[in-house]
Amino acid sequence: MYWHCFMGVLKREMLKFWQQRSRLLSALVRPLLWLIVFAAGFRSALGLSMIEPYETYILYDEYIVPGLAAMIVLFNSMQGSLSMVYDREMGSMKVLLMSPFPREFLLCSKLVGNALISALQVYVFFIIAALLSIQVSLLGYLYALPVIFFLALFLGSLGLLLANYIKQLENFAGVMNFVIFPMFFLSSALYPLWKMREASEVLYWICFINPFSSGVELLRFSMYEKFALNECIVMAFVTVVCFFAAVKSFEPKSNKPRKPG
Amino acid sequence: MRLQVENLSYHFGNKKALNNVSFSLSSGFNILLGPNGAGKSTLFSLLTGLRRVSEGRILINELSMKSQRQNVMRHLGVVFQENTLDLDLTVYQNLDYFASLHGLKTENALTRIEDVLEHLGLSSRLGDKVRSLNGGHRRRLEIARSLLHQPSCLLFDEPTVGLDIESRQLILTFVHEYVKRTDALVLWATHLLEEVAQDDHLLLLANGELKGDDVCGNLIAANGVDTVSALFNKYTKKDKN
């Protein structure tokens, strides 16, 4: 019975994605612009010293590929939260909440569906990057898969949590400005943290504690067949916290009378 | 099948939406009648577990909504006042999604309600997008969907609002026949007096309080009025004063 339910939720996520095929295009345009245009312009300006997990000097294009892959997951997860708000406004959220299965299970199924879509988008991006001669080993692509899922679960949980506080679709612009952009730019996605430290110690620490940085680094290490234990622990912690906070926020509301005075 | 509501109260801030409501219903067609703002939708959101019961209790077949929500949900079929269908999916895909949310194989579930789909004129529209259906067909689909898992307790929150007389009558007749055939319990919330028959069990809700709980004919007689309309006016006018 759980299997039917899980597959049903997954199927719906896939159907919705299939209906919005332009989502794939828009998910790819953004990182490809960064990779082709931005990276070309900054290649010579941004010199990178040899840092882990790289074993040799690398070009800037190669450096930003894991960050851009994480960017795809970030945008797709926030798109997931947007669709939750849409479902709530359209009333179809009630159908999900009326299921006899535990809400943790239902939300988790939704997150896995979202993670699958993220993985699909990221691998299409990897293929295009490989065509542009930016590639890693086959094993690197394989190791990246669980990390992409992990990152998608974290960002999806965060998206679910946000969906509860976004009262209307129109408020989604706020999420772009206050969540997506700060999370992306204040991370190691586009520049190594030591570069940021040279510019500002405060910004460095903000980037350092940003869990999205941990996700990016975990992905970067996995793509080079290495494992970043600390980043993995941070990711596990924030994923669990965000997921249970999201589940809690989906609990039925209870209103007791306010005490006078 | 038995639906028991005991001393149920609910507040929005300091405003009391439901005040110490108690009733007990058994299988058959039951009407919850009340004007707009009487507390019908609040009662429904508590009965469907979308809001948590904080004062009083709800038992469905002796199962508590508070502590056994998941088991209760297996017995419940619900049609909400507003649309809850996914407009971008087809009729079949909507039914498929709902069946899976109840852990059912779609083919089995659809076979069981084949006659329902036929009767409601949906059999030939399984491949159509819900967006292309008119209001009446969307409501029929919501009703068919609520029957997919063969629930024994059906909660309909003003399911005919905004429909033309023909569609309204078709749905009402269908539900009455369904109750006779299956011995299910139906709680049908409405503010439309023409949907109330003399032999229906009637719960009269006004201003968050239960004003009447009996067979409609008995309530009319006990209140010394001639019609449902007069009975309705008696309580709703009193509330406004």
mmCIF file of all heavy atoms in Angstrom, chain A residues 1 4-5 8 11-12 16 19 90-91 94-95 97-101 251-253 255 257-258, chain B residues 10-11 14 48-49 51-52 69-70 74 78 82-84 86 88 93 96-97 100-103 105:
data_model
loop_
_atom_site.group_PDB
_atom_site.id
_atom_site.type_symbol
_atom_site.label_atom_id
_atom_site.label_comp_id
_atom_site.label_asym_id
_atom_site.label_seq_id
_atom_site.Cartn_x
_atom_site.Cartn_y
_atom_site.Cartn_z
ATOM 1 N N MET A 1 0.820 -1.209 0.000
ATOM 2 C CA MET A 1 0.000 0.000 0.000
ATOM 3 C C MET A 1 0.856 1.263 0.000
ATOM 4 O O MET A 1 0.550 2.226 -0.691
ATOM 5 C CB MET A 1 -0.915 0.000 1.211
ATOM 6 C CG MET A 1 -2.147 -0.831 0.934
ATOM 7 S SD MET A 1 -3.311 -1.044 2.241
ATOM 8 C CE MET A 1 -3.841 0.530 2.712
ATOM 9 N N HIS A 4 2.204 1.841 -3.519
ATOM 10 C CA HIS A 4 1.252 2.459 -4.456
ATOM 11 C C HIS A 4 1.192 3.963 -4.227
ATOM 12 O O HIS A 4 1.147 4.753 -5.168
ATOM 13 C CB HIS A 4 -0.152 1.888 -4.261
ATOM 14 C CG HIS A 4 -0.306 0.506 -4.818
ATOM 15 N ND1 HIS A 4 0.080 0.181 -6.084
ATOM 16 C CD2 HIS A 4 -0.803 -0.623 -4.275
ATOM 17 C CE1 HIS A 4 -0.150 -1.103 -6.296
ATOM 18 N NE2 HIS A 4 -0.692 -1.614 -5.212
ATOM 19 N N CYS A 5 1.157 4.327 -2.954
ATOM 20 C CA CYS A 5 1.063 5.744 -2.592
ATOM 21 C C CYS A 5 2.317 6.487 -3.053
ATOM 22 O O CYS A 5 2.235 7.540 -3.696
ATOM 23 C CB CYS A 5 0.862 5.865 -1.078
ATOM 24 S SG CYS A 5 0.676 7.555 -0.545
ATOM 25 N N GLY A 8 2.365 6.823 -6.735
ATOM 26 C CA GLY A 8 1.337 7.775 -7.167
ATOM 27 C C GLY A 8 1.829 9.210 -7.057
ATOM 28 O O GLY A 8 1.646 10.013 -7.979
ATOM 29 N N LYS A 11 4.538 9.744 -9.625
ATOM 30 C CA LYS A 11 3.964 9.827 -10.967
ATOM 31 C C LYS A 11 3.386 11.216 -11.224
ATOM 32 O O LYS A 11 3.562 11.787 -12.292
ATOM 33 C CB LYS A 11 2.859 8.774 -11.081
ATOM 34 C CG LYS A 11 2.543 8.340 -12.481
ATOM 35 C CD LYS A 11 1.793 7.035 -12.397
ATOM 36 C CE LYS A 11 0.671 6.926 -13.362
ATOM 37 N NZ LYS A 11 -0.135 5.735 -13.147
ATOM 38 N N ARG A 12 2.704 11.747 -10.214
ATOM 39 C CA ARG A 12 2.105 13.075 -10.385
ATOM 40 C C ARG A 12 3.195 14.136 -10.591
ATOM 41 O O ARG A 12 3.064 15.012 -11.442
ATOM 42 C CB ARG A 12 1.250 13.442 -9.167
ATOM 43 C CG ARG A 12 0.618 14.820 -9.309
ATOM 44 C CD ARG A 12 -0.295 15.162 -8.160
ATOM 45 N NE ARG A 12 -0.915 16.453 -8.350
ATOM 46 C CZ ARG A 12 -0.495 17.582 -7.779
ATOM 47 N NH1 ARG A 12 0.546 17.572 -6.972
ATOM 48 N NH2 ARG A 12 -1.123 18.714 -8.005
ATOM 49 N N LYS A 16 3.465 16.405 -13.920
ATOM 50 C CA LYS A 16 3.460 17.872 -13.860
ATOM 51 C C LYS A 16 4.717 18.412 -14.559
ATOM 52 O O LYS A 16 4.653 19.416 -15.256
ATOM 53 C CB LYS A 16 3.422 18.373 -12.407
ATOM 54 C CG LYS A 16 2.203 17.950 -11.611
ATOM 55 C CD LYS A 16 0.945 18.640 -12.038
ATOM 56 C CE LYS A 16 0.729 19.957 -11.369
ATOM 57 N NZ LYS A 16 -0.592 20.522 -11.721
ATOM 58 N N GLN A 19 4.384 18.089 -18.282
ATOM 59 C CA GLN A 19 3.484 19.110 -18.830
ATOM 60 C C GLN A 19 4.163 20.469 -18.938
ATOM 61 O O GLN A 19 3.755 21.311 -19.711
ATOM 62 C CB GLN A 19 2.247 19.249 -17.948
ATOM 63 C CG GLN A 19 1.286 18.101 -18.140
ATOM 64 C CD GLN A 19 0.114 18.191 -17.196
ATOM 65 O OE1 GLN A 19 0.155 18.916 -16.201
ATOM 66 N NE2 GLN A 19 -0.926 17.456 -17.480
ATOM 67 N N MET A 90 -4.997 26.241 -5.192
ATOM 68 C CA MET A 90 -5.958 25.568 -6.074
ATOM 69 C C MET A 90 -6.784 24.528 -5.318
ATOM 70 O O MET A 90 -7.723 23.968 -5.862
ATOM 71 C CB MET A 90 -5.224 24.876 -7.237
ATOM 72 C CG MET A 90 -4.573 25.816 -8.203
ATOM 73 S SD MET A 90 -5.795 26.750 -9.121
ATOM 74 C CE MET A 90 -5.517 28.391 -8.576
ATOM 75 N N GLY A 91 -6.411 24.230 -4.103
ATOM 76 C CA GLY A 91 -7.184 23.292 -3.281
ATOM 77 C C GLY A 91 -6.708 21.853 -3.354
ATOM 78 O O GLY A 91 -7.116 21.021 -2.544
ATOM 79 N N LYS A 94 -5.348 19.726 -0.292
ATOM 80 C CA LYS A 94 -6.235 19.038 0.654
ATOM 81 C C LYS A 94 -6.304 17.542 0.353
ATOM 82 O O LYS A 94 -6.424 16.731 1.259
ATOM 83 C CB LYS A 94 -7.645 19.639 0.583
ATOM 84 C CG LYS A 94 -7.764 20.969 1.287
ATOM 85 C CD LYS A 94 -9.173 21.485 1.214
ATOM 86 C CE LYS A 94 -9.299 22.802 1.973
ATOM 87 N NZ LYS A 94 -10.587 23.440 1.764
ATOM 88 N N VAL A 95 -6.251 17.210 -0.937
ATOM 89 C CA VAL A 95 -6.333 15.805 -1.342
ATOM 90 C C VAL A 95 -5.139 15.038 -0.768
ATOM 91 O O VAL A 95 -5.284 13.921 -0.270
ATOM 92 C CB VAL A 95 -6.360 15.692 -2.885
ATOM 93 C CG1 VAL A 95 -6.401 14.246 -3.335
ATOM 94 C CG2 VAL A 95 -7.559 16.437 -3.426
ATOM 95 N N LEU A 97 -3.349 15.947 1.887
ATOM 96 C CA LEU A 97 -3.407 15.934 3.354
ATOM 97 C C LEU A 97 -4.505 15.011 3.891
ATOM 98 O O LEU A 97 -4.500 14.662 5.063
ATOM 99 C CB LEU A 97 -3.590 17.356 3.894
ATOM 100 C CG LEU A 97 -2.458 18.334 3.566
ATOM 101 C CD1 LEU A 97 -2.749 19.709 4.132
ATOM 102 C CD2 LEU A 97 -1.122 17.840 4.083
ATOM 103 N N MET A 98 -5.461 14.657 3.027
ATOM 104 C CA MET A 98 -6.544 13.757 3.465
ATOM 105 C C MET A 98 -6.172 12.281 3.282
ATOM 106 O O MET A 98 -6.985 11.407 3.569
ATOM 107 C CB MET A 98 -7.819 14.037 2.653
ATOM 108 C CG MET A 98 -8.522 15.338 2.974
ATOM 109 S SD MET A 98 -9.407 15.292 4.521
ATOM 110 C CE MET A 98 -10.549 13.965 4.227
ATOM 111 N N SER A 99 -4.985 12.026 2.809
ATOM 112 C CA SER A 99 -4.567 10.632 2.619
ATOM 113 C C SER A 99 -4.395 9.961 3.985
ATOM 114 O O SER A 99 -3.962 10.597 4.951
ATOM 115 C CB SER A 99 -3.236 10.609 1.865
ATOM 116 O OG SER A 99 -2.649 9.344 1.966
ATOM 117 N N PRO A 100 -4.723 8.670 4.070
ATOM 118 C CA PRO A 100 -4.561 7.992 5.369
ATOM 119 C C PRO A 100 -3.108 7.670 5.724
ATOM 120 O O PRO A 100 -2.848 7.148 6.795
ATOM 121 C CB PRO A 100 -5.365 6.695 5.182
ATOM 122 C CG PRO A 100 -5.479 6.488 3.731
ATOM 123 C CD PRO A 100 -5.391 7.828 3.077
ATOM 124 N N PHE A 101 -2.184 7.994 4.842
ATOM 125 C CA PHE A 101 -0.780 7.706 5.150
ATOM 126 C C PHE A 101 -0.165 8.848 5.976
ATOM 127 O O PHE A 101 -0.639 9.978 5.904
ATOM 128 C CB PHE A 101 0.013 7.491 3.860
ATOM 129 C CG PHE A 101 -0.386 6.235 3.151
ATOM 130 C CD1 PHE A 101 -1.270 6.275 2.082
ATOM 131 C CD2 PHE A 101 0.086 5.005 3.578
ATOM 132 C CE1 PHE A 101 -1.668 5.114 1.445
ATOM 133 C CE2 PHE A 101 -0.307 3.840 2.948
ATOM 134 C CZ PHE A 101 -1.190 3.884 1.883
ATOM 135 N N GLU A 251 1.281 20.114 9.975
ATOM 136 C CA GLU A 251 0.327 19.538 10.928
ATOM 137 C C GLU A 251 -0.949 20.368 10.891
ATOM 138 O O GLU A 251 -0.906 21.568 10.631
ATOM 139 C CB GLU A 251 0.905 19.599 12.348
ATOM 140 C CG GLU A 251 2.141 18.753 12.526
ATOM 141 C CD GLU A 251 1.812 17.361 13.001
ATOM 142 O OE1 GLU A 251 1.187 17.244 14.047
ATOM 143 O OE2 GLU A 251 2.185 16.399 12.303
ATOM 144 N N PRO A 252 -2.109 19.738 11.188
ATOM 145 C CA PRO A 252 -3.350 20.519 11.211
ATOM 146 C C PRO A 252 -3.266 21.653 12.225
ATOM 147 O O PRO A 252 -2.645 21.504 13.273
ATOM 148 C CB PRO A 252 -4.403 19.507 11.646
ATOM 149 C CG PRO A 252 -3.782 18.179 11.534
ATOM 150 C CD PRO A 252 -2.307 18.347 11.558
ATOM 151 N N LYS A 253 -3.874 22.765 11.864
ATOM 152 C CA LYS A 253 -3.829 23.934 12.755
ATOM 153 C C LYS A 253 -4.818 23.775 13.892
ATOM 154 O O LYS A 253 -5.914 23.250 13.722
ATOM 155 C CB LYS A 253 -4.165 25.217 11.989
ATOM 156 C CG LYS A 253 -3.284 25.460 10.785
ATOM 157 C CD LYS A 253 -1.929 25.984 11.193
ATOM 158 C CE LYS A 253 -1.000 26.187 10.012
ATOM 159 N NZ LYS A 253 -0.389 24.960 9.472
ATOM 160 N N ASN A 255 -6.562 26.079 17.023
ATOM 161 C CA ASN A 255 -6.696 27.436 17.569
ATOM 162 C C ASN A 255 -7.407 27.405 18.910
ATOM 163 O O ASN A 255 -8.552 26.981 18.983
ATOM 164 C CB ASN A 255 -7.504 28.330 16.630
ATOM 165 C CG ASN A 255 -6.654 28.836 15.491
ATOM 166 O OD1 ASN A 255 -5.618 28.261 15.193
ATOM 167 N ND2 ASN A 255 -7.100 29.895 14.867
ATOM 168 N N PRO A 257 -8.614 29.712 22.308
ATOM 169 C CA PRO A 257 -8.929 31.119 22.533
ATOM 170 C C PRO A 257 -7.759 31.848 23.192
ATOM 171 O O PRO A 257 -7.085 31.281 24.025
ATOM 172 C CB PRO A 257 -10.142 31.071 23.467
ATOM 173 C CG PRO A 257 -10.121 29.714 24.065
ATOM 174 C CD PRO A 257 -9.474 28.819 23.087
ATOM 175 N N ARG A 258 -7.569 33.091 22.731
ATOM 176 C CA ARG A 258 -6.515 33.882 23.345
ATOM 177 C C ARG A 258 -6.916 34.284 24.748
ATOM 178 O O ARG A 258 -8.087 34.588 24.999
ATOM 179 C CB ARG A 258 -6.259 35.144 22.517
ATOM 180 C CG ARG A 258 -5.491 34.859 21.268
ATOM 181 C CD ARG A 258 -5.223 36.172 20.550
ATOM 182 N NE ARG A 258 -5.014 35.912 19.145
ATOM 183 C CZ ARG A 258 -5.550 36.617 18.158
ATOM 184 N NH1 ARG A 258 -6.344 37.617 18.427
ATOM 185 N NH2 ARG A 258 -5.307 36.326 16.918
ATOM 186 N N TYR B 10 -14.547 25.635 18.715
ATOM 187 C CA TYR B 10 -13.379 26.080 17.954
ATOM 188 C C TYR B 10 -13.373 27.602 17.895
ATOM 189 O O TYR B 10 -14.414 28.224 17.728
ATOM 190 C CB TYR B 10 -13.391 25.499 16.530
ATOM 191 C CG TYR B 10 -12.033 25.558 15.886
ATOM 192 C CD1 TYR B 10 -11.072 24.587 16.153
ATOM 193 C CD2 TYR B 10 -11.691 26.609 15.034
ATOM 194 C CE1 TYR B 10 -9.815 24.644 15.586
ATOM 195 C CE2 TYR B 10 -10.430 26.676 14.458
ATOM 196 C CZ TYR B 10 -9.501 25.685 14.739
ATOM 197 O OH TYR B 10 -8.247 25.752 14.176
ATOM 198 N N HIS B 11 -12.174 28.156 18.051
ATOM 199 C CA HIS B 11 -12.038 29.626 18.050
ATOM 200 C C HIS B 11 -11.095 30.086 16.958
ATOM 201 O O HIS B 11 -10.120 29.408 16.661
ATOM 202 C CB HIS B 11 -11.444 30.108 19.371
ATOM 203 C CG HIS B 11 -12.196 29.666 20.578
ATOM 204 N ND1 HIS B 11 -12.095 28.392 21.075
ATOM 205 C CD2 HIS B 11 -13.062 30.327 21.372
ATOM 206 C CE1 HIS B 11 -12.876 28.282 22.141
ATOM 207 N NE2 HIS B 11 -13.473 29.439 22.341
ATOM 208 N N ASN B 14 -10.282 35.402 19.246
ATOM 209 C CA ASN B 14 -11.295 35.441 20.314
ATOM 210 C C ASN B 14 -12.695 35.165 19.796
ATOM 211 O O ASN B 14 -13.655 35.148 20.558
ATOM 212 C CB ASN B 14 -11.264 36.814 21.003
ATOM 213 C CG ASN B 14 -10.042 36.921 21.896
ATOM 214 O OD1 ASN B 14 -9.558 35.922 22.432
ATOM 215 N ND2 ASN B 14 -9.514 38.123 22.021
ATOM 216 N N THR B 48 -12.692 16.601 8.925
ATOM 217 C CA THR B 48 -11.777 16.013 7.942
ATOM 218 C C THR B 48 -10.323 16.044 8.415
ATOM 219 O O THR B 48 -9.428 15.649 7.670
ATOM 220 C CB THR B 48 -11.859 16.772 6.599
ATOM 221 O OG1 THR B 48 -11.704 18.171 6.865
ATOM 222 C CG2 THR B 48 -13.184 16.544 5.915
ATOM 223 N N GLY B 49 -10.099 16.523 9.622
ATOM 224 C CA GLY B 49 -8.748 16.507 10.183
ATOM 225 C C GLY B 49 -7.843 17.590 9.639
ATOM 226 O O GLY B 49 -6.647 17.575 9.882
ATOM 227 N N ARG B 51 -8.127 20.675 10.464
ATOM 228 C CA ARG B 51 -7.853 21.458 11.663
ATOM 229 C C ARG B 51 -7.873 20.500 12.839
ATOM 230 O O ARG B 51 -8.614 19.521 12.826
ATOM 231 C CB ARG B 51 -8.902 22.556 11.866
ATOM 232 C CG ARG B 51 -8.760 23.664 10.883
ATOM 233 C CD ARG B 51 -9.669 24.837 11.190
ATOM 234 N NE ARG B 51 -9.555 25.817 10.133
ATOM 235 C CZ ARG B 51 -8.598 26.749 10.075
ATOM 236 N NH1 ARG B 51 -7.694 26.830 11.020
ATOM 237 N NH2 ARG B 51 -8.542 27.588 9.076
ATOM 238 N N ARG B 52 -7.054 20.808 13.836
ATOM 239 C CA ARG B 52 -6.953 19.912 14.984
ATOM 240 C C ARG B 52 -8.040 20.226 16.014
ATOM 241 O O ARG B 52 -8.298 21.400 16.318
ATOM 242 C CB ARG B 52 -5.579 20.067 15.641
ATOM 243 C CG ARG B 52 -5.258 18.960 16.627
ATOM 244 C CD ARG B 52 -4.065 19.339 17.466
ATOM 245 N NE ARG B 52 -2.882 19.588 16.655
ATOM 246 C CZ ARG B 52 -2.064 18.618 16.234
ATOM 247 N NH1 ARG B 52 -2.301 17.370 16.540
ATOM 248 N NH2 ARG B 52 -1.004 18.916 15.519
ATOM 249 N N ARG B 69 -6.167 9.514 13.603
ATOM 250 C CA ARG B 69 -6.490 10.236 12.371
ATOM 251 C C ARG B 69 -6.312 9.382 11.111
ATOM 252 O O ARG B 69 -7.171 9.346 10.234
ATOM 253 C CB ARG B 69 -5.610 11.483 12.264
ATOM 254 C CG ARG B 69 -6.090 12.491 11.231
ATOM 255 C CD ARG B 69 -5.047 13.545 10.963
ATOM 256 N NE ARG B 69 -3.976 13.024 10.143
ATOM 257 C CZ ARG B 69 -3.972 13.015 8.814
ATOM 258 N NH1 ARG B 69 -4.977 13.536 8.158
ATOM 259 N NH2 ARG B 69 -2.973 12.505 8.126
ATOM 260 N N GLN B 70 -5.192 8.643 11.056
ATOM 261 C CA GLN B 70 -4.921 7.872 9.845
ATOM 262 C C GLN B 70 -5.976 6.796 9.589
ATOM 263 O O GLN B 70 -6.389 6.590 8.459
ATOM 264 C CB GLN B 70 -3.533 7.232 9.929
ATOM 265 C CG GLN B 70 -2.445 8.247 9.644
ATOM 266 C CD GLN B 70 -1.091 7.748 10.028
ATOM 267 O OE1 GLN B 70 -0.416 8.359 10.842
ATOM 268 N NE2 GLN B 70 -0.698 6.617 9.465
ATOM 269 N N ARG B 74 -9.359 6.474 6.364
ATOM 270 C CA ARG B 74 -9.734 5.360 5.479
ATOM 271 C C ARG B 74 -11.247 5.256 5.327
ATOM 272 O O ARG B 74 -11.751 4.746 4.335
ATOM 273 C CB ARG B 74 -9.197 4.032 6.038
ATOM 274 C CG ARG B 74 -7.706 3.959 6.018
ATOM 275 C CD ARG B 74 -7.175 2.605 6.435
ATOM 276 N NE ARG B 74 -5.789 2.737 6.855
ATOM 277 C CZ ARG B 74 -4.772 2.900 6.022
ATOM 278 N NH1 ARG B 74 -4.991 2.925 4.739
ATOM 279 N NH2 ARG B 74 -3.540 3.040 6.473
ATOM 280 N N VAL B 78 -14.646 12.712 1.063
ATOM 281 C CA VAL B 78 -14.960 14.132 1.266
ATOM 282 C C VAL B 78 -15.058 14.891 -0.061
ATOM 283 O O VAL B 78 -14.261 14.662 -0.969
ATOM 284 C CB VAL B 78 -13.872 14.812 2.142
ATOM 285 C CG1 VAL B 78 -14.237 16.255 2.450
ATOM 286 C CG2 VAL B 78 -13.676 14.047 3.444
ATOM 287 N N GLU B 82 -14.813 24.055 -2.226
ATOM 288 C CA GLU B 82 -14.055 24.586 -3.362
ATOM 289 C C GLU B 82 -13.435 23.427 -4.149
ATOM 290 O O GLU B 82 -13.360 22.309 -3.656
ATOM 291 C CB GLU B 82 -12.963 25.567 -2.891
ATOM 292 C CG GLU B 82 -11.850 24.950 -2.093
ATOM 293 C CD GLU B 82 -12.157 24.828 -0.609
ATOM 294 O OE1 GLU B 82 -13.341 24.816 -0.228
ATOM 295 O OE2 GLU B 82 -11.213 24.698 0.170
ATOM 296 N N ASN B 83 -12.997 23.746 -5.355
ATOM 297 C CA ASN B 83 -12.385 22.736 -6.207
ATOM 298 C C ASN B 83 -11.106 22.182 -5.578
ATOM 299 O O ASN B 83 -10.293 22.930 -5.055
ATOM 300 C CB ASN B 83 -12.050 23.377 -7.551
ATOM 301 C CG ASN B 83 -11.156 22.509 -8.383
ATOM 302 O OD1 ASN B 83 -11.553 21.417 -8.782
ATOM 303 N ND2 ASN B 83 -9.946 22.965 -8.634
ATOM 304 N N THR B 84 -10.937 20.862 -5.630
ATOM 305 C CA THR B 84 -9.671 20.281 -5.158
ATOM 306 C C THR B 84 -9.074 19.381 -6.242
ATOM 307 O O THR B 84 -8.198 18.574 -5.961
ATOM 308 C CB THR B 84 -9.867 19.460 -3.863
ATOM 309 O OG1 THR B 84 -10.818 18.430 -4.121
ATOM 310 C CG2 THR B 84 -10.333 20.306 -2.701
ATOM 311 N N ASP B 86 -6.965 18.582 -9.754
ATOM 312 C CA ASP B 86 -5.824 19.153 -10.460
ATOM 313 C C ASP B 86 -6.269 19.439 -11.885
ATOM 314 O O ASP B 86 -6.473 18.519 -12.673
ATOM 315 C CB ASP B 86 -4.655 18.160 -10.442
ATOM 316 C CG ASP B 86 -3.361 18.822 -10.842
ATOM 317 O OD1 ASP B 86 -3.405 19.666 -11.762
ATOM 318 O OD2 ASP B 86 -2.322 18.522 -10.240
ATOM 319 N N ASP B 88 -4.824 20.561 -14.450
ATOM 320 C CA ASP B 88 -3.916 20.260 -15.561
ATOM 321 C C ASP B 88 -3.817 18.772 -15.865
ATOM 322 O O ASP B 88 -3.195 18.378 -16.851
ATOM 323 C CB ASP B 88 -2.514 20.807 -15.253
ATOM 324 C CG ASP B 88 -2.554 22.311 -15.094
ATOM 325 O OD1 ASP B 88 -3.254 22.962 -15.890
ATOM 326 O OD2 ASP B 88 -1.913 22.836 -14.168
ATOM 327 N N GLN B 93 -6.201 10.689 -14.657
ATOM 328 C CA GLN B 93 -5.004 10.961 -13.847
ATOM 329 C C GLN B 93 -5.382 11.464 -12.454
ATOM 330 O O GLN B 93 -4.719 11.132 -11.468
ATOM 331 C CB GLN B 93 -4.111 11.979 -14.560
ATOM 332 C CG GLN B 93 -3.367 11.374 -15.742
ATOM 333 C CD GLN B 93 -2.790 12.412 -16.683
ATOM 334 O OE1 GLN B 93 -3.162 13.594 -16.632
ATOM 335 N NE2 GLN B 93 -1.910 11.991 -17.565
ATOM 336 N N ASP B 96 -6.526 8.418 -10.615
ATOM 337 C CA ASP B 96 -5.345 7.580 -10.398
ATOM 338 C C ASP B 96 -4.542 8.102 -9.193
ATOM 339 O O ASP B 96 -4.145 7.346 -8.309
ATOM 340 C CB ASP B 96 -4.496 7.621 -11.681
ATOM 341 C CG ASP B 96 -3.231 6.806 -11.570
ATOM 342 O OD1 ASP B 96 -3.258 5.780 -10.880
ATOM 343 O OD2 ASP B 96 -2.215 7.188 -12.188
ATOM 344 N N TYR B 97 -4.345 9.412 -9.177
ATOM 345 C CA TYR B 97 -3.578 10.034 -8.085
ATOM 346 C C TYR B 97 -4.283 9.811 -6.749
ATOM 347 O O TYR B 97 -3.663 9.406 -5.759
ATOM 348 C CB TYR B 97 -3.435 11.532 -8.378
ATOM 349 C CG TYR B 97 -2.712 12.329 -7.308
ATOM 350 C CD1 TYR B 97 -1.453 11.954 -6.855
ATOM 351 C CD2 TYR B 97 -3.294 13.475 -6.753
ATOM 352 C CE1 TYR B 97 -0.793 12.689 -5.888
ATOM 353 C CE2 TYR B 97 -2.632 14.216 -5.784
ATOM 354 C CZ TYR B 97 -1.385 13.820 -5.361
ATOM 355 O OH TYR B 97 -0.732 14.549 -4.394
ATOM 356 N N SER B 100 -4.031 6.177 -5.571
ATOM 357 C CA SER B 100 -2.716 5.842 -5.017
ATOM 358 C C SER B 100 -2.515 6.477 -3.644
ATOM 359 O O SER B 100 -1.866 5.882 -2.780
ATOM 360 C CB SER B 100 -1.598 6.249 -5.978
ATOM 361 O OG SER B 100 -1.654 7.624 -6.218
ATOM 362 N N LEU B 101 -3.087 7.649 -3.425
ATOM 363 C CA LEU B 101 -2.969 8.272 -2.093
ATOM 364 C C LEU B 101 -3.681 7.445 -1.027
ATOM 365 O O LEU B 101 -3.447 7.611 0.163
ATOM 366 C CB LEU B 101 -3.550 9.692 -2.104
ATOM 367 C CG LEU B 101 -2.700 10.771 -2.776
ATOM 368 C CD1 LEU B 101 -3.403 12.115 -2.724
ATOM 369 C CD2 LEU B 101 -1.324 10.887 -2.137
ATOM 370 N N HIS B 102 -4.569 6.564 -1.480
ATOM 371 C CA HIS B 102 -5.232 5.652 -0.539
ATOM 372 C C HIS B 102 -4.660 4.240 -0.640
ATOM 373 O O HIS B 102 -5.255 3.294 -0.125
ATOM 374 C CB HIS B 102 -6.751 5.667 -0.775
ATOM 375 C CG HIS B 102 -7.393 6.880 -0.178
ATOM 376 N ND1 HIS B 102 -8.015 6.877 1.047
ATOM 377 C CD2 HIS B 102 -7.447 8.155 -0.611
ATOM 378 C CE1 HIS B 102 -8.439 8.093 1.322
ATOM 379 N NE2 HIS B 102 -8.110 8.892 0.336
ATOM 380 N N GLY B 103 -3.533 4.122 -1.324
ATOM 381 C CA GLY B 103 -2.847 2.841 -1.413
ATOM 382 C C GLY B 103 -3.545 1.833 -2.294
ATOM 383 O O GLY B 103 -3.355 0.629 -2.140
ATOM 384 N N LYS B 105 -4.765 0.150 -6.121
ATOM 385 C CA LYS B 105 -4.422 0.028 -7.537
ATOM 386 C C LYS B 105 -5.548 0.697 -8.311
ATOM 387 O O LYS B 105 -6.725 0.380 -8.097
ATOM 388 C CB LYS B 105 -4.332 -1.444 -7.930
ATOM 389 C CG LYS B 105 -2.976 -2.045 -7.700
ATOM 390 C CD LYS B 105 -2.903 -3.406 -8.350
ATOM 391 C CE LYS B 105 -1.518 -3.984 -8.151
ATOM 392 N NZ LYS B 105 -1.454 -5.386 -8.520
#
